[in-house]
Amino acid sequence: MLEKKEANYEKVVLVGLITREQSEEKLTEYMDELEFLAYTAGATVGERFTQKMDRPDSKFFVGSGKLDEIAAFVEEYNIDTVIFDDELTPSQLKNIEKVVNKKIIDRTQLILDIFAQRAQTSYARTQVELAQYQYLLPRLTRMWTHLERQRGGIGMRGPGETEIETDRRIIRDRITLLKEKLKGIDKQMATQRKNRGALVRVALVGYTNVGKSTLMNVLSKSEVFAENKLFATLDTTVRKVVIGNLPFLLTDTVGFIRKLPTQLVESFKSTLDEVREADLLVHVVDISHTSFEDHVNSVNQILAEIESKDKPTVMVFNKIDNFSYVQKEEDDLTEMKFENYSLEDWKRTWMAKTDYPTLFISATEKDNLEELRKTVYEEVKDIHTKRFPYNNFLFQYYEEEDMTEEE
Protein backbone atom coordinates (compact mmCIF):
# COMPACT_ATOMS: atom_id res chain seq x y z
CA MET A 1 0.00 0.00 0.00
CA LEU A 2 1.22 3.49 -0.83
CA GLU A 3 1.87 6.06 1.84
CA LYS A 4 0.16 9.42 1.39
CA LYS A 5 3.41 11.14 0.38
CA GLU A 6 5.66 9.51 -2.14
CA ALA A 7 8.78 10.29 -4.13
CA ASN A 8 8.57 12.40 -7.28
CA TYR A 9 7.65 9.73 -9.84
CA GLU A 10 4.32 8.89 -11.40
CA LYS A 11 2.04 6.87 -9.15
CA VAL A 12 -0.65 4.76 -10.80
CA VAL A 13 -3.40 2.30 -9.98
CA LEU A 14 -4.56 -0.50 -12.27
CA VAL A 15 -8.15 -1.48 -13.05
CA GLY A 16 -9.33 -4.75 -14.62
CA LEU A 17 -12.44 -6.92 -14.91
CA ILE A 18 -13.28 -10.58 -14.42
CA THR A 19 -15.90 -11.36 -17.07
CA ARG A 20 -17.48 -14.35 -18.77
CA GLU A 21 -14.68 -14.22 -21.33
CA GLN A 22 -11.87 -13.47 -18.86
CA SER A 23 -11.38 -15.63 -15.76
CA GLU A 24 -9.80 -14.45 -12.52
CA GLU A 25 -6.63 -16.40 -13.34
CA LYS A 26 -6.43 -14.82 -16.79
CA LEU A 27 -7.05 -11.36 -15.36
CA THR A 28 -4.19 -11.84 -12.89
CA GLU A 29 -1.86 -12.64 -15.81
CA TYR A 30 -3.01 -9.56 -17.73
CA MET A 31 -2.69 -7.33 -14.66
CA ASP A 32 0.85 -8.62 -14.03
CA GLU A 33 1.68 -7.73 -17.61
CA LEU A 34 -0.03 -4.33 -17.25
CA GLU A 35 2.08 -3.64 -14.15
CA PHE A 36 5.25 -4.49 -16.09
CA LEU A 37 4.07 -2.16 -18.87
CA ALA A 38 3.55 0.61 -16.30
CA TYR A 39 7.02 -0.03 -14.87
CA THR A 40 8.50 0.11 -18.38
CA ALA A 41 6.76 3.45 -18.94
CA GLY A 42 8.25 4.83 -15.72
CA ALA A 43 5.58 4.39 -13.05
CA THR A 44 5.07 2.67 -9.73
CA VAL A 45 1.84 0.78 -9.05
CA GLY A 46 0.08 1.60 -5.80
CA GLU A 47 -2.95 -0.67 -5.99
CA ARG A 48 -4.94 -2.98 -8.23
CA PHE A 49 -8.71 -2.75 -8.47
CA THR A 50 -10.66 -5.68 -9.91
CA GLN A 51 -14.37 -6.41 -10.22
CA LYS A 52 -16.44 -9.35 -11.40
CA MET A 53 -19.04 -8.45 -14.03
CA ASP A 54 -20.75 -10.23 -16.95
CA ARG A 55 -19.38 -7.59 -19.30
CA PRO A 56 -17.77 -4.15 -19.00
CA ASP A 57 -20.20 -1.41 -17.99
CA SER A 58 -21.02 0.71 -21.04
CA LYS A 59 -20.86 3.94 -19.03
CA PHE A 60 -17.98 3.51 -16.56
CA PHE A 61 -16.32 0.18 -17.62
CA VAL A 62 -16.56 -0.83 -13.91
CA GLY A 63 -19.61 -0.42 -11.67
CA SER A 64 -20.38 3.02 -10.28
CA GLY A 65 -19.68 1.85 -6.72
CA LYS A 66 -16.26 0.47 -7.69
CA LEU A 67 -15.46 3.71 -9.53
CA ASP A 68 -16.32 5.72 -6.39
CA GLU A 69 -13.95 3.44 -4.44
CA ILE A 70 -11.18 4.08 -6.98
CA ALA A 71 -11.83 7.83 -6.89
CA ALA A 72 -11.57 7.88 -3.07
CA PHE A 73 -8.30 5.94 -3.09
CA VAL A 74 -6.83 8.12 -5.83
CA GLU A 75 -7.70 11.27 -3.90
CA GLU A 76 -6.45 9.99 -0.52
CA TYR A 77 -3.10 8.72 -1.79
CA ASN A 78 -2.48 11.43 -4.38
CA ILE A 79 -2.38 9.02 -7.33
CA ASP A 80 -1.40 10.58 -10.67
CA THR A 81 -2.93 8.17 -13.16
CA VAL A 82 -5.54 5.42 -13.40
CA ILE A 83 -4.75 2.74 -16.00
CA PHE A 84 -7.46 0.42 -17.33
CA ASP A 85 -6.45 -3.00 -18.69
CA ASP A 86 -8.74 -2.83 -21.74
CA GLU A 87 -9.25 -0.16 -24.38
CA LEU A 88 -11.90 2.31 -23.25
CA THR A 89 -14.44 3.93 -25.55
CA PRO A 90 -14.40 7.73 -25.87
CA SER A 91 -17.65 7.97 -23.89
CA GLN A 92 -16.29 5.74 -21.10
CA LEU A 93 -13.19 7.92 -20.84
CA LYS A 94 -15.30 11.07 -20.62
CA ASN A 95 -17.65 9.61 -17.99
CA ILE A 96 -14.82 8.20 -15.84
CA GLU A 97 -13.01 11.55 -15.85
CA LYS A 98 -16.10 13.28 -14.46
CA VAL A 99 -15.91 10.98 -11.41
CA VAL A 100 -12.14 10.55 -11.06
CA ASN A 101 -10.51 13.93 -11.49
CA LYS A 102 -7.18 12.46 -12.55
CA LYS A 103 -5.48 11.34 -15.74
CA ILE A 104 -7.21 8.25 -17.17
CA ILE A 105 -5.50 6.06 -19.77
CA ASP A 106 -6.08 2.55 -21.08
CA ARG A 107 -3.79 -0.31 -22.06
CA THR A 108 -3.64 0.86 -25.68
CA GLN A 109 -2.51 4.37 -24.75
CA LEU A 110 0.06 2.96 -22.32
CA ILE A 111 1.59 0.76 -25.03
CA LEU A 112 1.58 3.68 -27.47
CA ASP A 113 3.38 5.77 -24.87
CA ILE A 114 6.09 3.12 -24.39
CA PHE A 115 6.54 2.96 -28.14
CA ALA A 116 6.88 6.76 -28.20
CA GLN A 117 9.65 6.51 -25.58
CA ARG A 118 11.48 3.69 -27.32
CA ALA A 119 11.33 4.84 -30.96
CA GLN A 120 14.86 5.84 -31.97
CA THR A 121 14.91 6.17 -35.77
CA SER A 122 12.85 8.54 -37.91
CA TYR A 123 11.02 5.54 -39.32
CA ALA A 124 9.96 4.15 -35.93
CA ARG A 125 8.97 7.62 -34.70
CA THR A 126 6.81 8.12 -37.80
CA GLN A 127 5.10 4.75 -37.26
CA VAL A 128 4.38 5.54 -33.62
CA GLU A 129 3.15 9.05 -34.39
CA LEU A 130 0.72 7.67 -36.97
CA ALA A 131 -0.62 5.13 -34.46
CA GLN A 132 -1.02 7.88 -31.85
CA TYR A 133 -2.99 10.12 -34.19
CA GLN A 134 -5.23 7.23 -35.24
CA TYR A 135 -5.94 6.55 -31.56
CA LEU A 136 -6.39 10.27 -30.86
CA LEU A 137 -8.87 11.12 -33.63
CA PRO A 138 -12.09 9.65 -32.11
CA ARG A 139 -11.05 10.91 -28.66
CA LEU A 140 -10.20 14.45 -29.69
CA THR A 141 -12.57 16.30 -27.32
CA ARG A 142 -11.51 14.24 -24.33
CA MET A 143 -7.80 14.58 -25.07
CA TRP A 144 -8.01 18.34 -25.41
CA THR A 145 -9.43 18.69 -21.87
CA HIS A 146 -6.24 16.92 -20.76
CA LEU A 147 -4.05 19.28 -22.73
CA GLU A 148 -5.76 22.32 -21.24
CA ARG A 149 -4.75 21.03 -17.81
CA GLN A 150 -1.16 20.79 -19.06
CA ARG A 151 -0.58 17.31 -17.73
CA GLY A 152 2.44 15.38 -18.85
CA GLY A 153 3.85 11.94 -18.11
CA ILE A 154 2.63 8.50 -19.15
CA GLY A 155 0.13 8.52 -21.97
CA MET A 156 0.64 12.21 -22.71
CA ARG A 157 3.76 12.05 -24.85
CA GLY A 158 3.47 12.58 -28.55
CA PRO A 159 1.40 14.54 -31.01
CA GLY A 160 -0.45 17.67 -30.02
CA GLU A 161 0.95 18.09 -26.52
CA THR A 162 1.23 21.86 -26.91
CA GLU A 163 -1.12 22.39 -29.85
CA ILE A 164 -4.47 22.80 -28.16
CA GLU A 165 -6.03 24.44 -31.24
CA THR A 166 -5.55 21.33 -33.42
CA ASP A 167 -8.88 20.09 -34.81
CA ARG A 168 -10.08 16.95 -36.52
CA ARG A 169 -9.34 18.25 -40.00
CA ILE A 170 -5.70 18.96 -39.14
CA ILE A 171 -5.39 15.54 -37.46
CA ARG A 172 -6.73 13.82 -40.59
CA ASP A 173 -4.35 15.83 -42.77
CA ARG A 174 -1.47 14.81 -40.53
CA ILE A 175 -2.48 11.14 -40.72
CA THR A 176 -2.55 11.37 -44.53
CA LEU A 177 0.88 13.04 -44.55
CA LEU A 178 2.38 10.40 -42.25
CA LYS A 179 0.97 7.57 -44.37
CA GLU A 180 2.55 9.11 -47.45
CA LYS A 181 5.85 9.48 -45.61
CA LEU A 182 5.73 5.82 -44.56
CA LYS A 183 4.99 4.75 -48.13
CA GLY A 184 8.17 6.52 -49.25
CA ILE A 185 10.23 4.88 -46.52
CA ASP A 186 8.63 1.51 -47.28
CA LYS A 187 9.81 1.78 -50.90
CA GLN A 188 13.34 2.54 -49.69
CA MET A 189 13.25 -0.45 -47.33
CA ALA A 190 11.88 -2.72 -50.05
CA THR A 191 14.78 -1.63 -52.28
CA GLN A 192 17.21 -2.33 -49.43
CA ARG A 193 15.75 -5.83 -49.03
CA LYS A 194 16.19 -6.47 -52.76
CA ASN A 195 19.77 -5.21 -52.62
CA ARG A 196 20.66 -7.72 -49.93
CA GLY A 197 20.99 -10.28 -52.66
CA ALA A 198 20.05 -13.92 -52.56
CA LEU A 199 21.16 -14.62 -48.98
CA VAL A 200 18.76 -16.69 -46.90
CA ARG A 201 16.83 -14.49 -44.45
CA VAL A 202 16.24 -15.60 -40.87
CA ALA A 203 13.92 -13.59 -38.59
CA LEU A 204 13.76 -13.74 -34.80
CA VAL A 205 10.13 -13.54 -33.70
CA GLY A 206 8.44 -13.90 -30.34
CA TYR A 207 6.63 -12.23 -27.49
CA THR A 208 8.14 -9.08 -26.07
CA ASN A 209 10.96 -9.51 -23.52
CA VAL A 210 11.74 -13.15 -24.33
CA GLY A 211 15.40 -12.51 -25.14
CA LYS A 212 15.41 -12.01 -28.93
CA SER A 213 17.90 -9.13 -28.84
CA THR A 214 20.18 -11.03 -26.45
CA LEU A 215 20.09 -14.01 -28.80
CA MET A 216 20.77 -11.68 -31.73
CA ASN A 217 23.89 -10.40 -29.96
CA VAL A 218 25.13 -13.91 -29.23
CA LEU A 219 24.59 -15.25 -32.75
CA SER A 220 25.80 -12.21 -34.67
CA LYS A 221 28.49 -11.12 -32.16
CA SER A 222 27.09 -7.59 -32.40
CA GLU A 223 25.75 -5.09 -29.89
CA VAL A 224 21.98 -4.75 -30.23
CA PHE A 225 20.23 -2.90 -27.39
CA ALA A 226 18.77 -5.40 -24.91
CA GLU A 227 17.04 -4.65 -21.62
CA ASN A 228 14.72 -6.42 -19.19
CA LYS A 229 11.77 -4.22 -20.12
CA LEU A 230 8.94 -4.60 -22.59
CA PHE A 231 9.53 -3.37 -26.15
CA ALA A 232 13.26 -2.73 -25.63
CA THR A 233 13.62 -3.10 -29.42
CA LEU A 234 11.35 -1.25 -31.86
CA ASP A 235 13.60 -0.73 -34.85
CA THR A 236 14.31 -3.73 -37.02
CA THR A 237 17.98 -4.73 -36.91
CA VAL A 238 19.55 -6.83 -39.69
CA ARG A 239 22.98 -8.45 -39.37
CA LYS A 240 24.94 -10.68 -41.69
CA VAL A 241 25.82 -13.86 -39.80
CA VAL A 242 28.20 -16.61 -40.85
CA ILE A 243 27.95 -20.08 -39.29
CA GLY A 244 30.65 -22.43 -40.48
CA ASN A 245 31.18 -20.76 -43.84
CA LEU A 246 27.50 -20.34 -44.69
CA PRO A 247 26.35 -16.67 -44.60
CA PHE A 248 22.76 -15.56 -44.01
CA LEU A 249 20.87 -12.47 -42.83
CA LEU A 250 19.52 -12.43 -39.25
CA THR A 251 16.76 -9.96 -38.36
CA ASP A 252 15.62 -8.88 -34.88
CA THR A 253 11.98 -7.71 -34.95
CA VAL A 254 9.66 -5.87 -32.58
CA GLY A 255 8.17 -8.10 -29.90
CA PHE A 256 4.49 -9.07 -29.93
CA ILE A 257 2.10 -8.73 -27.01
CA ARG A 258 -1.44 -9.74 -26.12
CA LYS A 259 -4.08 -7.07 -26.81
CA LEU A 260 -1.65 -5.33 -29.17
CA PRO A 261 -3.33 -2.10 -30.32
CA THR A 262 -4.71 -2.39 -33.84
CA GLN A 263 -3.23 1.04 -34.62
CA LEU A 264 0.25 -0.35 -33.98
CA VAL A 265 -0.28 -3.48 -36.05
CA GLU A 266 -1.37 -1.22 -38.94
CA SER A 267 1.50 1.26 -38.48
CA PHE A 268 4.18 -1.42 -38.11
CA LYS A 269 3.11 -3.47 -41.13
CA SER A 270 6.29 -2.59 -42.98
CA THR A 271 8.37 -3.69 -40.00
CA LEU A 272 6.48 -6.97 -40.14
CA ASP A 273 7.43 -7.21 -43.81
CA GLU A 274 10.82 -8.42 -42.54
CA VAL A 275 8.93 -11.38 -41.07
CA ARG A 276 6.82 -11.87 -44.21
CA GLU A 277 9.89 -12.00 -46.44
CA ALA A 278 11.95 -14.21 -44.15
CA ASP A 279 12.82 -17.70 -45.32
CA LEU A 280 13.14 -19.10 -41.80
CA LEU A 281 11.60 -18.02 -38.49
CA VAL A 282 13.30 -18.55 -35.14
CA HIS A 283 10.39 -18.38 -32.68
CA VAL A 284 11.86 -17.47 -29.29
CA VAL A 285 9.85 -18.30 -26.15
CA ASP A 286 10.53 -17.43 -22.50
CA ILE A 287 9.92 -20.84 -20.94
CA SER A 288 10.42 -19.43 -17.44
CA HIS A 289 7.24 -17.33 -17.82
CA THR A 290 4.12 -18.98 -16.41
CA SER A 291 2.07 -17.86 -19.44
CA PHE A 292 4.53 -18.95 -22.12
CA GLU A 293 1.92 -21.13 -23.87
CA ASP A 294 -0.38 -18.12 -24.22
CA HIS A 295 2.58 -16.15 -25.56
CA VAL A 296 3.19 -18.82 -28.21
CA ASN A 297 -0.48 -18.70 -29.23
CA SER A 298 -0.45 -14.88 -29.39
CA VAL A 299 2.61 -14.86 -31.64
CA ASN A 300 1.14 -17.58 -33.87
CA GLN A 301 -2.07 -15.58 -34.17
CA ILE A 302 -0.20 -12.47 -35.38
CA LEU A 303 1.93 -14.60 -37.71
CA ALA A 304 -1.28 -16.02 -39.17
CA GLU A 305 -2.63 -12.46 -39.67
CA ILE A 306 0.44 -11.53 -41.73
CA GLU A 307 0.38 -14.87 -43.59
CA SER A 308 3.66 -16.12 -42.10
CA LYS A 309 2.53 -18.96 -39.85
CA ASP A 310 3.45 -21.76 -42.27
CA LYS A 311 7.06 -20.71 -42.81
CA PRO A 312 9.88 -23.09 -41.78
CA THR A 313 10.43 -22.48 -38.08
CA VAL A 314 12.83 -23.34 -35.28
CA MET A 315 11.21 -23.24 -31.83
CA VAL A 316 13.68 -21.92 -29.25
CA PHE A 317 12.69 -22.08 -25.59
CA ASN A 318 14.95 -19.54 -23.93
CA LYS A 319 15.78 -18.71 -20.28
CA ILE A 320 16.05 -22.29 -19.05
CA ASP A 321 18.39 -20.87 -16.38
CA ASN A 322 15.35 -19.07 -14.88
CA PHE A 323 13.00 -22.06 -15.09
CA SER A 324 11.77 -23.42 -11.76
CA TYR A 325 9.04 -25.78 -10.59
CA VAL A 326 7.54 -27.22 -7.42
CA GLN A 327 7.94 -30.99 -7.18
CA LYS A 328 4.89 -32.81 -5.85
CA GLU A 329 5.19 -35.25 -2.96
CA GLU A 330 4.79 -38.90 -3.91
CA ASP A 331 1.64 -39.28 -1.79
CA ASP A 332 0.08 -36.11 -3.23
CA LEU A 333 -2.78 -37.36 -5.44
CA THR A 334 -4.10 -33.95 -6.44
CA GLU A 335 -4.08 -32.88 -10.08
CA MET A 336 -0.80 -31.60 -11.52
CA LYS A 337 -0.70 -27.80 -11.74
CA PHE A 338 1.38 -25.63 -14.04
CA GLU A 339 4.06 -25.07 -11.40
CA ASN A 340 4.46 -28.85 -10.89
CA TYR A 341 5.78 -29.52 -14.40
CA SER A 342 9.54 -29.84 -14.71
CA LEU A 343 11.49 -28.96 -17.84
CA GLU A 344 11.66 -32.66 -18.73
CA ASP A 345 7.89 -32.93 -18.29
CA TRP A 346 7.37 -30.03 -20.72
CA LYS A 347 9.69 -31.62 -23.26
CA ARG A 348 7.36 -34.64 -23.36
CA THR A 349 4.21 -32.59 -24.05
CA TRP A 350 3.17 -30.89 -27.31
CA MET A 351 6.74 -29.66 -27.72
CA ALA A 352 7.81 -33.20 -28.64
CA LYS A 353 5.10 -33.41 -31.33
CA THR A 354 5.84 -30.23 -33.25
CA ASP A 355 6.88 -30.47 -36.89
CA TYR A 356 9.72 -28.01 -36.24
CA PRO A 357 13.10 -28.45 -34.52
CA THR A 358 12.69 -27.61 -30.84
CA LEU A 359 15.57 -26.43 -28.64
CA PHE A 360 16.00 -25.41 -25.02
CA ILE A 361 18.66 -22.77 -24.39
CA SER A 362 19.86 -19.92 -22.22
CA ALA A 363 21.11 -16.99 -24.31
CA THR A 364 22.62 -15.20 -21.29
CA GLU A 365 24.36 -18.30 -19.89
CA LYS A 366 25.13 -19.60 -23.42
CA ASP A 367 23.65 -23.02 -22.61
CA ASN A 368 23.01 -25.24 -25.67
CA LEU A 369 23.96 -22.46 -28.10
CA GLU A 370 26.12 -24.84 -30.09
CA GLU A 371 23.08 -27.03 -30.70
CA LEU A 372 21.16 -23.93 -31.81
CA ARG A 373 23.91 -22.91 -34.25
CA LYS A 374 24.00 -26.37 -35.73
CA THR A 375 20.20 -26.49 -36.13
CA VAL A 376 20.02 -23.04 -37.74
CA TYR A 377 22.92 -24.00 -40.00
CA GLU A 378 21.12 -27.14 -41.20
CA GLU A 379 17.85 -25.28 -41.79
CA VAL A 380 19.55 -22.45 -43.70
CA LYS A 381 21.59 -24.94 -45.72
CA ASP A 382 18.44 -26.84 -46.66
CA ILE A 383 16.76 -23.63 -47.91
CA HIS A 384 19.91 -22.55 -49.76
CA THR A 385 20.28 -25.94 -51.43
CA LYS A 386 16.70 -25.85 -52.72
CA ARG A 387 17.15 -22.31 -53.99
CA PHE A 388 20.54 -22.92 -55.61
CA PRO A 389 20.77 -26.67 -56.30
CA TYR A 390 24.01 -26.32 -58.27
CA ASN A 391 25.73 -23.80 -56.04
CA ASN A 392 27.56 -26.08 -53.63
CA PHE A 393 30.76 -24.08 -53.26
CA LEU A 394 29.18 -21.62 -50.79
CA PHE A 395 29.04 -23.99 -47.85
CA GLN A 396 30.46 -27.16 -46.45
CA TYR A 397 28.91 -29.66 -44.12
CA TYR A 398 28.76 -28.67 -40.51
CA GLU A 399 32.06 -29.32 -38.76
CA GLU A 400 32.28 -28.98 -35.01
CA GLU A 401 35.65 -27.31 -35.04
CA ASP A 402 34.47 -24.68 -37.53
CA MET A 403 31.44 -23.80 -35.48
CA THR A 404 32.82 -23.54 -31.97
CA GLU A 405 32.72 -19.95 -30.82
CA GLU A 406 35.81 -18.65 -29.14
CA GLU A 407 35.16 -17.78 -25.54
Side-chain angles (χ1 to χ4, degrees):
M1 186 69 70
L2 285 172
E3 295 182 4
K4 294 185 181 180
K5 288 187 179 180
E6 279 276 5
N8 292 325
Y9 46 75
E10 197 156 348
K11 294 170 289 187
V12 305
V13 295
L14 312 180
V15 182
L17 286 182
I18 302 167
T19 64
R20 284 180 295 184
E21 288 79 27
Q22 185 166 274
S23 65
E24 183 175 0
E25 182 182 5
K26 187 63 66 179
L27 175 65
T28 300
E29 291 177 13
Y30 286 149
M31 294 291 270
D32 288 343
E33 190 168 84
L34 188 66
E35 183 166 347
F36 199 6
L37 284 166
Y39 160 71
T40 301
T44 179
V45 176
E47 187 64 273
R48 296 183 180 187
F49 291 92
T50 61
Q51 188 175 22
K52 191 171 185 179
M53 304 178 72
D54 282 346
R55 64 179 67 88
D57 182 76
S58 60
K59 187 175 182 181
F60 294 123
F61 186 77
V62 295
S64 57
K66 177 61 71 172
L67 192 61
D68 289 337
E69 180 187 338
I70 294 169
F73 183 91
V74 163
E75 187 66 31
E76 181 178 2
Y77 290 95
N78 196 26
I79 300 297
D80 301 300
T81 306
V82 181
I83 304 176
F84 286 77
D85 186 47
D86 289 288
E87 186 167 321
L88 301 173
T89 66
S91 62
Q92 285 173 330
L93 283 163
K94 186 177 179 180
N95 293 331
I96 292 168
E97 283 193 317
K98 289 179 180 178
V99 178
V100 184
N101 190 28
K102 294 288 182 179
K103 185 169 59 180
I104 310 296
I105 67 174
D106 57 24
R107 185 186 184 98
T108 296
Q109 199 172 352
L110 178 60
I111 293 174
L112 288 171
D113 184 85
I114 294 170
F115 272 59
Q117 291 182 50
R118 296 300 177 115
Q120 297 295 321
T121 65
S122 172
Y123 187 50
R125 287 194 294 268
T126 303
Q127 289 175 310
V128 174
E129 187 181 357
L130 175 60
Q132 287 178 312
Y133 275 125
Q134 289 171 329
Y135 174 85
L136 174 65
L137 187 58
R139 298 165 174 81
L140 198 58
T141 303
R142 170 254 167 189
M143 289 294 294
W144 262 221
T145 62
H146 273 305
L147 302 176
E148 288 165 0
R149 296 175 199 164
Q150 293 296 301
R151 288 183 183 152
I154 297 173
M156 294 293 104
R157 299 176 180 85
E161 194 161 0
T162 59
E163 306 219 17
I164 300 174
E165 73 283 359
T166 304
D167 58 16
R168 292 184 187 275
R169 180 182 57 78
I170 296 175
I171 292 284
R172 290 193 184 100
D173 289 345
R174 184 63 180 161
I175 288 174
T176 302
L177 184 66
L178 289 169
K179 284 183 176 179
E180 288 300 316
K181 183 178 179 181
L182 284 178
K183 280 183 183 178
I185 303 176
D186 288 346
K187 287 182 181 178
Q188 293 175 7
M189 294 184 71
T191 302
Q192 288 175 1
R193 282 193 286 268
K194 287 180 182 178
N195 290 339
R196 289 173 192 163
L199 289 178
V200 174
R201 300 176 189 177
V202 181
L204 296 170
V205 297
Y207 209 72
T208 182
N209 202 42
V210 295
K212 295 188 300 299
S213 296
T214 303
L215 193 57
M216 176 86 167
N217 289 335
V218 171
L219 289 176
S220 65
K221 302 179 185 177
S222 62
E223 291 300 323
V224 176
F225 181 72
E227 186 181 11
N228 187 30
K229 285 188 176 180
L230 301 179
F231 304 115
T233 303
L234 285 190
D235 295 297
T236 300
T237 305
V238 182
R239 294 283 184 270
K240 183 178 179 180
V241 178
V242 180
I243 298 182
N245 63 343
L246 176 59
F248 60 91
L249 295 176
L250 183 64
T251 304
D252 185 15
T253 60
V254 62
F256 302 152
I257 195 169
R258 291 173 290 193
K259 302 183 183 179
L260 186 67
T262 54
Q263 297 93 341
L264 279 175
V265 174
E266 183 67 27
S267 297
F268 277 76
K269 271 185 177 178
S270 50
T271 300
L272 298 174
D273 280 343
E274 293 287 352
V275 178
R276 282 194 196 92
E277 297 190 17
D279 302 297
L280 173 68
L281 302 182
V282 177
H283 186 167
V284 187
V285 183
D286 176 4
I287 197 169
S288 67
H289 197 290
T290 54
S291 301
F292 78 83
E293 288 185 290
D294 282 344
H295 293 178
V296 170
N297 292 332
S298 297
V299 172
N300 285 338
Q301 182 179 345
I302 295 175
L303 289 176
E305 288 175 11
I306 62 174
E307 299 178 355
S308 299
K309 191 173 184 297
D310 296 327
K311 288 181 178 290
T313 303
V314 176
M315 292 294 296
V316 177
F317 292 91
N318 190 25
K319 303 189 181 183
I320 58 173
D321 54 310
N322 289 335
F323 183 87
S324 61
Y325 76 104
V326 179
Q327 188 170 2
K328 288 183 63 176
E329 299 293 336
E330 291 185 6
D331 57 350
D332 186 352
L333 301 180
T334 59
E335 187 178 352
M336 288 274 285
K337 297 181 180 177
F338 183 93
E339 62 266 21
N340 299 135
Y341 285 93
S342 68
L343 198 56
E344 294 304 316
D345 291 331
W346 279 115
K347 289 179 181 179
R348 289 192 292 269
T349 61
W350 58 269
M351 299 174 188
K353 301 172 186 176
T354 178
D355 295 331
Y356 309 126
T358 303
L359 304 168
F360 296 82
I361 71 162
S362 169
T364 55
E365 300 298 319
K366 299 187 178 181
D367 292 337
N368 299 334
L369 288 187
E370 198 56 43
E371 183 184 359
L372 173 62
R373 288 192 186 92
K374 183 174 181 179
T375 302
V376 171
Y377 174 87
E378 293 297 336
E379 294 294 315
V380 170
K381 188 182 77 171
D382 185 55
I383 295 169
H384 186 89
T385 304
K386 289 175 182 176
R387 183 175 296 172
F388 306 106
Y390 305 109
N391 184 9
N392 295 320
F393 69 91
L394 192 59
F395 57 88
Q396 301 168 346
Y397 288 105
Y398 183 95
E399 294 179 2
E400 199 73 35
E401 60 269 23
D402 290 339
M403 306 291 289
T404 304
E405 183 180 355
E406 293 181 8
E407 294 296 334

